[in-house]
Amino acid sequence: MRILVVGASGTIGGAVVAELAARHDIVRAGRRGADVQVDIEKPETITAMYARLGRVDAVVAAAGRVHFGPLAEMTDAKLRIGIDSKLLGQLNLVLLGLDHVADGGSFTLTSGILSEVPVLHCAGTSLANGAIEAFVRGAAPEMPRGLRLNVVSPTVLTESMPKYGPSFRGFEPAPAARVALAYSRSVEGVQTGQVFKVH
Amino acid sequence: MRILVVGASGTIGGAVVAELAARHDIVRAGRRGADVQVDIEKPETITAMYARLGRVDAVVAAAGRVHFGPLAEMTDAKLRIGIDSKLLGQLNLVLLGLDHVADGGSFTLTSGILSEVPVLHCAGTSLANGAIEAFVRGAAPEMPRGLRLNVVSPTVLTESMPKYGPSFRGFEPAPAARVALAYSRSVEGVQTGQVFKVH
């Protein structure tokens, strides 16, 4: 398969590339230093990327920003950071990519455990993650030409514990290489409309 | 209690008013014909509403638009209709209302069964509903002064079956009066961070 990995330079994206590269042709996409440039917050760069790439068999999205901060200081504008980036950035990869993925291909997005579990100062992330998962459930039955649509929901990464550990006391972290297996199940399996939880 | 019901002229809002009015002082809010005018898509009208009302003990939100349409014709702009209205309209009622609800008071929002269950042409509604539920779970532990935050997720209403029945074949509808009980549990109970499902 020819697989587009958006966010390939990230911790998860890199692990997905490592997992899939032995068996597939990988196209790395990202804001810089990748095979093809894309900023998922700018839909016109998504359109340009797909036009340049031609047909792919699968798209993996492991990209997107969110705002972290206290609820008391939360605003409409701060919530829109995650909405414009992690949520609509990933969904635009689907909506603008429908005609560029081969019959029977797949899209695999990224949410996270915060869709289900509250963590201090992460309400904006919970919102974005929950929205992605609900969209995947709602949209999968309408995907054309046998295309599949799933999302991977990882817990906190082992690699991120030095930075995020204090916010995730008592959570069992997962190494990115283990999280990457869920992307493999989505891309190389047969399921659709699923939230593949790694937690 | 003094309870603000936003969307009081809707099917759910009207049933909530009917359920709570016997025991409480109700302030009806909506775009027209209510005790106080508010358009939740315009944050400045939310701010003005709270400034005019003074202190309330509970806020119920049963308002917000979404876009219905085929996935093949879905766009960023169409998804933003539900994001700006049902999602951020309701969340702004919380964020802008934090200082206007009495100690120990509550906010009760409205999502719907589509957060969990796919229905044709409703992916945008699934997104908005899932985002509201995840935000409620994520934000509830950070609410100040003992304020509580919940959401009611109704199935399709019996009253809506003449219009929406063809999209909800096999779903067991619930009358608005039964759905209103879930709002009563949220407002008059002790739980927080909950999705009260009526399905």
Side-chain angles (χ1 to χ4, degrees), chain A residues 71 76 80 84 88 92 115 118 121 126 134 137 142, chain B residues 71 76 80 84 88 91-92 115 118 121 126 134 137 142:
Chain A
L71 183 69
D76 182 297
R80 284 181 192 274
D84 291 345
L88 290 178
N92 280 329
S115 63
H121 300 174
S126 292
R137 280 189 293 267
E142 283 190 65
Chain B
L71 183 69
D76 182 297
R80 284 182 191 272
D84 290 345
L88 289 178
L91 300 200
N92 280 329
S115 63
H121 300 174
S126 292
R137 281 189 292 268
E142 283 190 66

mmCIF file with all atom_site columns, all heavy atoms in Angstrom, chain A residues 71 76 80 84 88 92 115 118 121 126 134 137 142, chain B residues 71 76 80 84 88 91-92 115 118 121 126 134 137 142:
data_model
loop_
_atom_site.group_PDB
_atom_site.id
_atom_site.type_symbol
_atom_site.label_atom_id
_atom_site.label_alt_id
_atom_site.label_comp_id
_atom_site.label_asym_id
_atom_site.label_entity_id
_atom_site.label_seq_id
_atom_site.pdbx_PDB_ins_code
_atom_site.Cartn_x
_atom_site.Cartn_y
_atom_site.Cartn_z
_atom_site.occupancy
_atom_site.B_iso_or_equiv
_atom_site.pdbx_formal_charge
_atom_site.auth_seq_id
_atom_site.auth_comp_id
_atom_site.auth_asym_id
_atom_site.auth_atom_id
_atom_site.pdbx_PDB_model_num
ATOM 1   N N   . LEU A 1 71  ? -9.899  26.020 33.306 1.00 0.00 ? 71  LEU A N   1
ATOM 2   C CA  . LEU A 1 71  ? -11.269 26.298 32.870 1.00 0.00 ? 71  LEU A CA  1
ATOM 3   C C   . LEU A 1 71  ? -11.653 27.747 33.165 1.00 0.00 ? 71  LEU A C   1
ATOM 4   O O   . LEU A 1 71  ? -12.357 28.383 32.372 1.00 0.00 ? 71  LEU A O   1
ATOM 5   C CB  . LEU A 1 71  ? -12.242 25.345 33.565 1.00 0.00 ? 71  LEU A CB  1
ATOM 6   C CG  . LEU A 1 71  ? -13.706 25.498 33.140 1.00 0.00 ? 71  LEU A CG  1
ATOM 7   C CD1 . LEU A 1 71  ? -13.894 25.029 31.705 1.00 0.00 ? 71  LEU A CD1 1
ATOM 8   C CD2 . LEU A 1 71  ? -14.629 24.746 34.085 1.00 0.00 ? 71  LEU A CD2 1
ATOM 9   N N   . ASP A 1 76  ? -14.043 31.045 24.245 1.00 0.00 ? 76  ASP A N   1
ATOM 10  C CA  . ASP A 1 76  ? -14.420 30.601 22.906 1.00 0.00 ? 76  ASP A CA  1
ATOM 11  C C   . ASP A 1 76  ? -13.179 30.546 22.003 1.00 0.00 ? 76  ASP A C   1
ATOM 12  O O   . ASP A 1 76  ? -12.941 29.542 21.311 1.00 0.00 ? 76  ASP A O   1
ATOM 13  C CB  . ASP A 1 76  ? -15.460 31.610 22.372 1.00 0.00 ? 76  ASP A CB  1
ATOM 14  C CG  . ASP A 1 76  ? -16.001 31.288 21.008 1.00 0.00 ? 76  ASP A CG  1
ATOM 15  O OD1 . ASP A 1 76  ? -15.209 31.283 20.051 1.00 0.00 ? 76  ASP A OD1 1
ATOM 16  O OD2 . ASP A 1 76  ? -17.217 31.077 20.873 1.00 0.00 ? 76  ASP A OD2 1
ATOM 17  N N   . ARG A 1 80  ? -11.379 27.267 20.189 1.00 0.00 ? 80  ARG A N   1
ATOM 18  C CA  . ARG A 1 80  ? -11.287 27.198 18.727 1.00 0.00 ? 80  ARG A CA  1
ATOM 19  C C   . ARG A 1 80  ? -9.875  26.826 18.236 1.00 0.00 ? 80  ARG A C   1
ATOM 20  O O   . ARG A 1 80  ? -9.718  26.425 17.081 1.00 0.00 ? 80  ARG A O   1
ATOM 21  C CB  . ARG A 1 80  ? -11.714 28.520 18.095 1.00 0.00 ? 80  ARG A CB  1
ATOM 22  C CG  . ARG A 1 80  ? -13.220 28.726 18.094 1.00 0.00 ? 80  ARG A CG  1
ATOM 23  C CD  . ARG A 1 80  ? -13.602 30.048 17.436 1.00 0.00 ? 80  ARG A CD  1
ATOM 24  N NE  . ARG A 1 80  ? -14.992 30.384 17.666 1.00 0.00 ? 80  ARG A NE  1
ATOM 25  C CZ  . ARG A 1 80  ? -16.024 29.964 16.911 1.00 0.00 ? 80  ARG A CZ  1
ATOM 26  N NH1 . ARG A 1 80  ? -15.798 29.201 15.867 1.00 0.00 ? 80  ARG A NH1 1
ATOM 27  N NH2 . ARG A 1 80  ? -17.255 30.309 17.200 1.00 0.00 ? 80  ARG A NH2 1
ATOM 28  N N   . ASP A 1 84  ? -9.993  24.255 15.338 1.00 0.00 ? 84  ASP A N   1
ATOM 29  C CA  . ASP A 1 84  ? -9.441  24.557 14.012 1.00 0.00 ? 84  ASP A CA  1
ATOM 30  C C   . ASP A 1 84  ? -8.290  23.625 13.640 1.00 0.00 ? 84  ASP A C   1
ATOM 31  O O   . ASP A 1 84  ? -8.060  23.381 12.450 1.00 0.00 ? 84  ASP A O   1
ATOM 32  C CB  . ASP A 1 84  ? -8.937  26.004 13.966 1.00 0.00 ? 84  ASP A CB  1
ATOM 33  C CG  . ASP A 1 84  ? -10.070 27.018 14.015 1.00 0.00 ? 84  ASP A CG  1
ATOM 34  O OD1 . ASP A 1 84  ? -11.230 26.619 13.807 1.00 0.00 ? 84  ASP A OD1 1
ATOM 35  O OD2 . ASP A 1 84  ? -9.800  28.202 14.271 1.00 0.00 ? 84  ASP A OD2 1
ATOM 36  N N   . LEU A 1 88  ? -10.838 20.031 13.150 1.00 0.00 ? 88  LEU A N   1
ATOM 37  C CA  . LEU A 1 88  ? -11.166 20.263 11.734 1.00 0.00 ? 88  LEU A CA  1
ATOM 38  C C   . LEU A 1 88  ? -9.968  20.034 10.831 1.00 0.00 ? 88  LEU A C   1
ATOM 39  O O   . LEU A 1 88  ? -10.140 19.695 9.653  1.00 0.00 ? 88  LEU A O   1
ATOM 40  C CB  . LEU A 1 88  ? -11.742 21.672 11.551 1.00 0.00 ? 88  LEU A CB  1
ATOM 41  C CG  . LEU A 1 88  ? -13.150 21.849 12.151 1.00 0.00 ? 88  LEU A CG  1
ATOM 42  C CD1 . LEU A 1 88  ? -13.632 23.286 11.973 1.00 0.00 ? 88  LEU A CD1 1
ATOM 43  C CD2 . LEU A 1 88  ? -14.149 20.874 11.533 1.00 0.00 ? 88  LEU A CD2 1
ATOM 44  N N   . ASN A 1 92  ? -10.727 17.712 7.806  1.00 0.00 ? 92  ASN A N   1
ATOM 45  C CA  . ASN A 1 92  ? -10.511 18.196 6.438  1.00 0.00 ? 92  ASN A CA  1
ATOM 46  C C   . ASN A 1 92  ? -9.605  17.257 5.643  1.00 0.00 ? 92  ASN A C   1
ATOM 47  O O   . ASN A 1 92  ? -9.731  17.165 4.419  1.00 0.00 ? 92  ASN A O   1
ATOM 48  C CB  . ASN A 1 92  ? -9.953  19.615 6.455  1.00 0.00 ? 92  ASN A CB  1
ATOM 49  C CG  . ASN A 1 92  ? -11.051 20.654 6.694  1.00 0.00 ? 92  ASN A CG  1
ATOM 50  O OD1 . ASN A 1 92  ? -12.202 20.456 6.305  1.00 0.00 ? 92  ASN A OD1 1
ATOM 51  N ND2 . ASN A 1 92  ? -10.694 21.760 7.338  1.00 0.00 ? 92  ASN A ND2 1
ATOM 52  N N   . SER A 1 115 ? -10.831 12.151 25.767 1.00 0.00 ? 115 SER A N   1
ATOM 53  C CA  . SER A 1 115 ? -12.241 12.143 25.358 1.00 0.00 ? 115 SER A CA  1
ATOM 54  C C   . SER A 1 115 ? -13.111 11.487 26.419 1.00 0.00 ? 115 SER A C   1
ATOM 55  O O   . SER A 1 115 ? -14.300 11.775 26.512 1.00 0.00 ? 115 SER A O   1
ATOM 56  C CB  . SER A 1 115 ? -12.415 11.402 24.031 1.00 0.00 ? 115 SER A CB  1
ATOM 57  O OG  . SER A 1 115 ? -12.047 10.048 24.163 1.00 0.00 ? 115 SER A OG  1
ATOM 58  N N   . PRO A 1 118 ? -11.286 12.938 32.474 1.00 0.00 ? 118 PRO A N   1
ATOM 59  C CA  . PRO A 1 118 ? -10.895 14.332 32.708 1.00 0.00 ? 118 PRO A CA  1
ATOM 60  C C   . PRO A 1 118 ? -9.494  14.447 33.310 1.00 0.00 ? 118 PRO A C   1
ATOM 61  O O   . PRO A 1 118 ? -9.120  13.653 34.168 1.00 0.00 ? 118 PRO A O   1
ATOM 62  C CB  . PRO A 1 118 ? -11.937 14.827 33.706 1.00 0.00 ? 118 PRO A CB  1
ATOM 63  C CG  . PRO A 1 118 ? -12.404 13.613 34.428 1.00 0.00 ? 118 PRO A CG  1
ATOM 64  C CD  . PRO A 1 118 ? -12.257 12.450 33.472 1.00 0.00 ? 118 PRO A CD  1
ATOM 65  N N   . HIS A 1 121 ? -7.007  21.068 33.335 1.00 0.00 ? 121 HIS A N   1
ATOM 66  C CA  . HIS A 1 121 ? -6.609  22.033 32.312 1.00 0.00 ? 121 HIS A CA  1
ATOM 67  C C   . HIS A 1 121 ? -6.694  21.483 30.888 1.00 0.00 ? 121 HIS A C   1
ATOM 68  O O   . HIS A 1 121 ? -6.071  22.022 29.974 1.00 0.00 ? 121 HIS A O   1
ATOM 69  C CB  . HIS A 1 121 ? -5.174  22.555 32.561 1.00 0.00 ? 121 HIS A CB  1
ATOM 70  C CG  . HIS A 1 121 ? -5.033  23.240 33.874 1.00 0.00 ? 121 HIS A CG  1
ATOM 71  N ND1 . HIS A 1 121 ? -3.810  23.683 34.351 1.00 0.00 ? 121 HIS A ND1 1
ATOM 72  C CD2 . HIS A 1 121 ? -5.944  23.576 34.826 1.00 0.00 ? 121 HIS A CD2 1
ATOM 73  C CE1 . HIS A 1 121 ? -3.993  24.243 35.537 1.00 0.00 ? 121 HIS A CE1 1
ATOM 74  N NE2 . HIS A 1 121 ? -5.276  24.197 35.850 1.00 0.00 ? 121 HIS A NE2 1
ATOM 75  N N   . SER A 1 126 ? -10.285 17.472 25.616 1.00 0.00 ? 126 SER A N   1
ATOM 76  C CA  . SER A 1 126 ? -11.416 16.539 25.719 1.00 0.00 ? 126 SER A CA  1
ATOM 77  C C   . SER A 1 126 ? -12.430 16.821 24.627 1.00 0.00 ? 126 SER A C   1
ATOM 78  O O   . SER A 1 126 ? -12.896 15.901 23.942 1.00 0.00 ? 126 SER A O   1
ATOM 79  C CB  . SER A 1 126 ? -12.074 16.674 27.097 1.00 0.00 ? 126 SER A CB  1
ATOM 80  O OG  . SER A 1 126 ? -11.212 16.206 28.110 1.00 0.00 ? 126 SER A OG  1
ATOM 81  N N   . ALA A 1 134 ? -16.769 10.996 17.768 1.00 0.00 ? 134 ALA A N   1
ATOM 82  C CA  . ALA A 1 134 ? -18.189 10.982 17.403 1.00 0.00 ? 134 ALA A CA  1
ATOM 83  C C   . ALA A 1 134 ? -18.361 11.157 15.892 1.00 0.00 ? 134 ALA A C   1
ATOM 84  O O   . ALA A 1 134 ? -19.227 10.521 15.271 1.00 0.00 ? 134 ALA A O   1
ATOM 85  C CB  . ALA A 1 134 ? -18.945 12.067 18.162 1.00 0.00 ? 134 ALA A CB  1
ATOM 86  N N   . ARG A 1 137 ? -17.616 7.804  14.201 1.00 0.00 ? 137 ARG A N   1
ATOM 87  C CA  . ARG A 1 137 ? -18.761 6.891  14.327 1.00 0.00 ? 137 ARG A CA  1
ATOM 88  C C   . ARG A 1 137 ? -19.899 7.292  13.384 1.00 0.00 ? 137 ARG A C   1
ATOM 89  O O   . ARG A 1 137 ? -20.546 6.443  12.774 1.00 0.00 ? 137 ARG A O   1
ATOM 90  C CB  . ARG A 1 137 ? -19.284 6.892  15.768 1.00 0.00 ? 137 ARG A CB  1
ATOM 91  C CG  . ARG A 1 137 ? -18.498 6.033  16.719 1.00 0.00 ? 137 ARG A CG  1
ATOM 92  C CD  . ARG A 1 137 ? -19.206 5.907  18.065 1.00 0.00 ? 137 ARG A CD  1
ATOM 93  N NE  . ARG A 1 137 ? -19.254 7.175  18.793 1.00 0.00 ? 137 ARG A NE  1
ATOM 94  C CZ  . ARG A 1 137 ? -18.363 7.571  19.686 1.00 0.00 ? 137 ARG A CZ  1
ATOM 95  N NH1 . ARG A 1 137 ? -17.338 6.793  19.991 1.00 0.00 ? 137 ARG A NH1 1
ATOM 96  N NH2 . ARG A 1 137 ? -18.482 8.732  20.299 1.00 0.00 ? 137 ARG A NH2 1
ATOM 97  N N   . GLU A 1 142 ? -21.239 6.330  5.845  1.00 0.00 ? 142 GLU A N   1
ATOM 98  C CA  . GLU A 1 142 ? -21.471 7.065  4.596  1.00 0.00 ? 142 GLU A CA  1
ATOM 99  C C   . GLU A 1 142 ? -20.234 7.152  3.710  1.00 0.00 ? 142 GLU A C   1
ATOM 100 O O   . GLU A 1 142 ? -20.265 7.844  2.687  1.00 0.00 ? 142 GLU A O   1
ATOM 101 C CB  . GLU A 1 142 ? -21.953 8.486  4.911  1.00 0.00 ? 142 GLU A CB  1
ATOM 102 C CG  . GLU A 1 142 ? -23.396 8.567  5.332  1.00 0.00 ? 142 GLU A CG  1
ATOM 103 C CD  . GLU A 1 142 ? -23.877 10.004 5.397  1.00 0.00 ? 142 GLU A CD  1
ATOM 104 O OE1 . GLU A 1 142 ? -23.938 10.671 4.350  1.00 0.00 ? 142 GLU A OE1 1
ATOM 105 O OE2 . GLU A 1 142 ? -24.164 10.455 6.519  1.00 0.00 ? 142 GLU A OE2 1
ATOM 106 N N   . LEU B 1 71  ? -22.536 13.079 3.722  1.00 0.00 ? 71  LEU B N   1
ATOM 107 C CA  . LEU B 1 71  ? -21.101 13.211 3.947  1.00 0.00 ? 71  LEU B CA  1
ATOM 108 C C   . LEU B 1 71  ? -20.386 13.679 2.686  1.00 0.00 ? 71  LEU B C   1
ATOM 109 O O   . LEU B 1 71  ? -19.435 14.459 2.751  1.00 0.00 ? 71  LEU B O   1
ATOM 110 C CB  . LEU B 1 71  ? -20.514 11.875 4.410  1.00 0.00 ? 71  LEU B CB  1
ATOM 111 C CG  . LEU B 1 71  ? -19.030 11.902 4.743  1.00 0.00 ? 71  LEU B CG  1
ATOM 112 C CD1 . LEU B 1 71  ? -18.776 12.729 6.002  1.00 0.00 ? 71  LEU B CD1 1
ATOM 113 C CD2 . LEU B 1 71  ? -18.470 10.503 4.905  1.00 0.00 ? 71  LEU B CD2 1
ATOM 114 N N   . ASP B 1 76  ? -16.009 21.926 5.705  1.00 0.00 ? 76  ASP B N   1
ATOM 115 C CA  . ASP B 1 76  ? -15.579 22.644 6.900  1.00 0.00 ? 76  ASP B CA  1
ATOM 116 C C   . ASP B 1 76  ? -16.658 23.644 7.320  1.00 0.00 ? 76  ASP B C   1
ATOM 117 O O   . ASP B 1 76  ? -17.060 23.698 8.495  1.00 0.00 ? 76  ASP B O   1
ATOM 118 C CB  . ASP B 1 76  ? -14.252 23.343 6.552  1.00 0.00 ? 76  ASP B CB  1
ATOM 119 C CG  . ASP B 1 76  ? -13.637 24.104 7.697  1.00 0.00 ? 76  ASP B CG  1
ATOM 120 O OD1 . ASP B 1 76  ? -14.272 25.063 8.172  1.00 0.00 ? 76  ASP B OD1 1
ATOM 121 O OD2 . ASP B 1 76  ? -12.513 23.770 8.094  1.00 0.00 ? 76  ASP B OD2 1
ATOM 122 N N   . ARG B 1 80  ? -19.003 23.766 10.752 1.00 0.00 ? 80  ARG B N   1
ATOM 123 C CA  . ARG B 1 80  ? -18.915 24.910 11.676 1.00 0.00 ? 80  ARG B CA  1
ATOM 124 C C   . ARG B 1 80  ? -20.291 25.460 12.069 1.00 0.00 ? 80  ARG B C   1
ATOM 125 O O   . ARG B 1 80  ? -20.398 26.201 13.048 1.00 0.00 ? 80  ARG B O   1
ATOM 126 C CB  . ARG B 1 80  ? -18.067 26.028 11.057 1.00 0.00 ? 80  ARG B CB  1
ATOM 127 C CG  . ARG B 1 80  ? -16.576 25.723 11.091 1.00 0.00 ? 80  ARG B CG  1
ATOM 128 C CD  . ARG B 1 80  ? -15.769 26.873 10.513 1.00 0.00 ? 80  ARG B CD  1
ATOM 129 N NE  . ARG B 1 80  ? -14.380 26.495 10.291 1.00 0.00 ? 80  ARG B NE  1
ATOM 130 C CZ  . ARG B 1 80  ? -13.421 26.590 11.207 1.00 0.00 ? 80  ARG B CZ  1
ATOM 131 N NH1 . ARG B 1 80  ? -13.688 27.071 12.404 1.00 0.00 ? 80  ARG B NH1 1
ATOM 132 N NH2 . ARG B 1 80  ? -12.188 26.210 10.926 1.00 0.00 ? 80  ARG B NH2 1
ATOM 133 N N   . ASP B 1 84  ? -20.482 26.307 15.829 1.00 0.00 ? 84  ASP B N   1
ATOM 134 C CA  . ASP B 1 84  ? -20.736 27.670 16.305 1.00 0.00 ? 84  ASP B CA  1
ATOM 135 C C   . ASP B 1 84  ? -22.027 27.767 17.118 1.00 0.00 ? 84  ASP B C   1
ATOM 136 O O   . ASP B 1 84  ? -22.150 28.634 17.974 1.00 0.00 ? 84  ASP B O   1
ATOM 137 C CB  . ASP B 1 84  ? -20.828 28.641 15.117 1.00 0.00 ? 84  ASP B CB  1
ATOM 138 C CG  . ASP B 1 84  ? -19.489 28.863 14.441 1.00 0.00 ? 84  ASP B CG  1
ATOM 139 O OD1 . ASP B 1 84  ? -18.451 28.504 15.032 1.00 0.00 ? 84  ASP B OD1 1
ATOM 140 O OD2 . ASP B 1 84  ? -19.471 29.382 13.310 1.00 0.00 ? 84  ASP B OD2 1
ATOM 141 N N   . LEU B 1 88  ? -20.507 25.506 20.600 1.00 0.00 ? 88  LEU B N   1
ATOM 142 C CA  . LEU B 1 88  ? -19.927 26.663 21.292 1.00 0.00 ? 88  LEU B CA  1
ATOM 143 C C   . LEU B 1 88  ? -21.009 27.589 21.854 1.00 0.00 ? 88  LEU B C   1
ATOM 144 O O   . LEU B 1 88  ? -20.775 28.284 22.845 1.00 0.00 ? 88  LEU B O   1
ATOM 145 C CB  . LEU B 1 88  ? -18.976 27.424 20.361 1.00 0.00 ? 88  LEU B CB  1
ATOM 146 C CG  . LEU B 1 88  ? -17.680 26.675 20.060 1.00 0.00 ? 88  LEU B CG  1
ATOM 147 C CD1 . LEU B 1 88  ? -16.801 27.476 19.099 1.00 0.00 ? 88  LEU B CD1 1
ATOM 148 C CD2 . LEU B 1 88  ? -16.884 26.377 21.339 1.00 0.00 ? 88  LEU B CD2 1
ATOM 149 N N   . LEU B 1 91  ? -21.563 25.965 25.163 1.00 0.00 ? 91  LEU B N   1
ATOM 150 C CA  . LEU B 1 91  ? -20.390 26.085 26.035 1.00 0.00 ? 91  LEU B CA  1
ATOM 151 C C   . LEU B 1 91  ? -20.173 27.535 26.468 1.00 0.00 ? 91  LEU B C   1
ATOM 152 O O   . LEU B 1 91  ? -19.717 27.791 27.586 1.00 0.00 ? 91  LEU B O   1
ATOM 153 C CB  . LEU B 1 91  ? -19.126 25.543 25.353 1.00 0.00 ? 91  LEU B CB  1
ATOM 154 C CG  . LEU B 1 91  ? -19.149 24.074 24.941 1.00 0.00 ? 91  LEU B CG  1
ATOM 155 C CD1 . LEU B 1 91  ? -17.732 23.548 24.740 1.00 0.00 ? 91  LEU B CD1 1
ATOM 156 C CD2 . LEU B 1 91  ? -19.892 23.198 25.926 1.00 0.00 ? 91  LEU B CD2 1
ATOM 157 N N   . ASN B 1 92  ? -20.499 28.485 25.591 1.00 0.00 ? 92  ASN B N   1
ATOM 158 C CA  . ASN B 1 92  ? -20.379 29.893 25.991 1.00 0.00 ? 92  ASN B CA  1
ATOM 159 C C   . ASN B 1 92  ? -21.388 30.252 27.081 1.00 0.00 ? 92  ASN B C   1
ATOM 160 O O   . ASN B 1 92  ? -21.116 31.137 27.901 1.00 0.00 ? 92  ASN B O   1
ATOM 161 C CB  . ASN B 1 92  ? -20.533 30.813 24.779 1.00 0.00 ? 92  ASN B CB  1
ATOM 162 C CG  . ASN B 1 92  ? -19.242 30.898 23.969 1.00 0.00 ? 92  ASN B CG  1
ATOM 163 O OD1 . ASN B 1 92  ? -18.145 30.791 24.520 1.00 0.00 ? 92  ASN B OD1 1
ATOM 164 N ND2 . ASN B 1 92  ? -19.367 31.088 22.661 1.00 0.00 ? 92  ASN B ND2 1
ATOM 165 N N   . SER B 1 115 ? -24.339 11.174 19.309 1.00 0.00 ? 115 SER B N   1
ATOM 166 C CA  . SER B 1 115 ? -22.938 11.116 19.756 1.00 0.00 ? 115 SER B CA  1
ATOM 167 C C   . SER B 1 115 ? -22.424 9.685  19.758 1.00 0.00 ? 115 SER B C   1
ATOM 168 O O   . SER B 1 115 ? -21.222 9.456  19.637 1.00 0.00 ? 115 SER B O   1
ATOM 169 C CB  . SER B 1 115 ? -22.791 11.718 21.157 1.00 0.00 ? 115 SER B CB  1
ATOM 170 O OG  . SER B 1 115 ? -23.529 10.960 22.093 1.00 0.00 ? 115 SER B OG  1
ATOM 171 N N   . PRO B 1 118 ? -24.609 6.180  14.746 1.00 0.00 ? 118 PRO B N   1
ATOM 172 C CA  . PRO B 1 118 ? -24.635 6.870  13.450 1.00 0.00 ? 118 PRO B CA  1
ATOM 173 C C   . PRO B 1 118 ? -26.021 6.836  12.818 1.00 0.00 ? 118 PRO B C   1
ATOM 174 O O   . PRO B 1 118 ? -26.717 5.822  12.869 1.00 0.00 ? 118 PRO B O   1
ATOM 175 C CB  . PRO B 1 118 ? -23.645 6.061  12.601 1.00 0.00 ? 118 PRO B CB  1
ATOM 176 C CG  . PRO B 1 118 ? -23.641 4.701  13.204 1.00 0.00 ? 118 PRO B CG  1
ATOM 177 C CD  . PRO B 1 118 ? -23.966 4.855  14.667 1.00 0.00 ? 118 PRO B CD  1
ATOM 178 N N   . HIS B 1 121 ? -26.614 11.123 7.215  1.00 0.00 ? 121 HIS B N   1
ATOM 179 C CA  . HIS B 1 121 ? -26.612 12.580 7.019  1.00 0.00 ? 121 HIS B CA  1
ATOM 180 C C   . HIS B 1 121 ? -26.487 13.367 8.306  1.00 0.00 ? 121 HIS B C   1
ATOM 181 O O   . HIS B 1 121 ? -26.796 14.565 8.328  1.00 0.00 ? 121 HIS B O   1
ATOM 182 C CB  . HIS B 1 121 ? -27.869 13.039 6.257  1.00 0.00 ? 121 HIS B CB  1
ATOM 183 C CG  . HIS B 1 121 ? -28.003 12.416 4.898  1.00 0.00 ? 121 HIS B CG  1
ATOM 184 N ND1 . HIS B 1 121 ? -29.104 12.589 4.104  1.00 0.00 ? 121 HIS B ND1 1
ATOM 185 C CD2 . HIS B 1 121 ? -27.171 11.610 4.199  1.00 0.00 ? 121 HIS B CD2 1
ATOM 186 C CE1 . HIS B 1 121 ? -28.959 11.910 2.976  1.00 0.00 ? 121 HIS B CE1 1
ATOM 187 N NE2 . HIS B 1 121 ? -27.788 11.312 3.017  1.00 0.00 ? 121 HIS B NE2 1
ATOM 188 N N   . SER B 1 126 ? -23.406 14.372 15.111 1.00 0.00 ? 126 SER B N   1
ATOM 189 C CA  . SER B 1 126 ? -22.593 13.477 15.944 1.00 0.00 ? 126 SER B CA  1
ATOM 190 C C   . SER B 1 126 ? -21.402 14.217 16.510 1.00 0.00 ? 126 SER B C   1
ATOM 191 O O   . SER B 1 126 ? -21.099 14.126 17.709 1.00 0.00 ? 126 SER B O   1
ATOM 192 C CB  . SER B 1 126 ? -22.122 12.274 15.119 1.00 0.00 ? 126 SER B CB  1
ATOM 193 O OG  . SER B 1 126 ? -23.220 11.446 14.771 1.00 0.00 ? 126 SER B OG  1
ATOM 194 N N   . ALA B 1 134 ? -17.890 15.305 25.799 1.00 0.00 ? 134 ALA B N   1
ATOM 195 C CA  . ALA B 1 134 ? -16.485 15.193 26.225 1.00 0.00 ? 134 ALA B CA  1
ATOM 196 C C   . ALA B 1 134 ? -16.065 16.441 27.006 1.00 0.00 ? 134 ALA B C   1
ATOM 197 O O   . ALA B 1 134 ? -15.330 16.350 27.996 1.00 0.00 ? 134 ALA B O   1
ATOM 198 C CB  . ALA B 1 134 ? -15.581 14.977 25.014 1.00 0.00 ? 134 ALA B CB  1
ATOM 199 N N   . ARG B 1 137 ? -17.441 16.127 30.560 1.00 0.00 ? 137 ARG B N   1
ATOM 200 C CA  . ARG B 1 137 ? -16.614 15.222 31.375 1.00 0.00 ? 137 ARG B CA  1
ATOM 201 C C   . ARG B 1 137 ? -15.300 15.888 31.766 1.00 0.00 ? 137 ARG B C   1
ATOM 202 O O   . ARG B 1 137 ? -14.815 15.741 32.893 1.00 0.00 ? 137 ARG B O   1
ATOM 203 C CB  . ARG B 1 137 ? -16.309 13.935 30.598 1.00 0.00 ? 137 ARG B CB  1
ATOM 204 C CG  . ARG B 1 137 ? -17.437 12.930 30.578 1.00 0.00 ? 137 ARG B CG  1
ATOM 205 C CD  . ARG B 1 137 ? -16.967 11.601 29.981 1.00 0.00 ? 137 ARG B CD  1
ATOM 206 N NE  . ARG B 1 137 ? -16.665 11.705 28.561 1.00 0.00 ? 137 ARG B NE  1
ATOM 207 C CZ  . ARG B 1 137 ? -17.542 11.464 27.577 1.00 0.00 ? 137 ARG B CZ  1
ATOM 208 N NH1 . ARG B 1 137 ? -18.768 11.088 27.865 1.00 0.00 ? 137 ARG B NH1 1
ATOM 209 N NH2 . ARG B 1 137 ? -17.183 11.577 26.320 1.00 0.00 ? 137 ARG B NH2 1
ATOM 210 N N   . GLU B 1 142 ? -13.238 20.981 37.189 1.00 0.00 ? 142 GLU B N   1
ATOM 211 C CA  . GLU B 1 142 ? -12.641 22.305 37.387 1.00 0.00 ? 142 GLU B CA  1
ATOM 212 C C   . GLU B 1 142 ? -13.676 23.385 37.675 1.00 0.00 ? 142 GLU B C   1
ATOM 213 O O   . GLU B 1 142 ? -13.330 24.564 37.747 1.00 0.00 ? 142 GLU B O   1
ATOM 214 C CB  . GLU B 1 142 ? -11.856 22.714 36.133 1.00 0.00 ? 142 GLU B CB  1
ATOM 215 C CG  . GLU B 1 142 ? -10.519 22.030 36.019 1.00 0.00 ? 142 GLU B CG  1
ATOM 216 C CD  . GLU B 1 142 ? -9.692  22.641 34.900 1.00 0.00 ? 142 GLU B CD  1
ATOM 217 O OE1 . GLU B 1 142 ? -9.299  23.808 35.010 1.00 0.00 ? 142 GLU B OE1 1
ATOM 218 O OE2 . GLU B 1 142 ? -9.463  21.930 33.901 1.00 0.00 ? 142 GLU B OE2 1
#
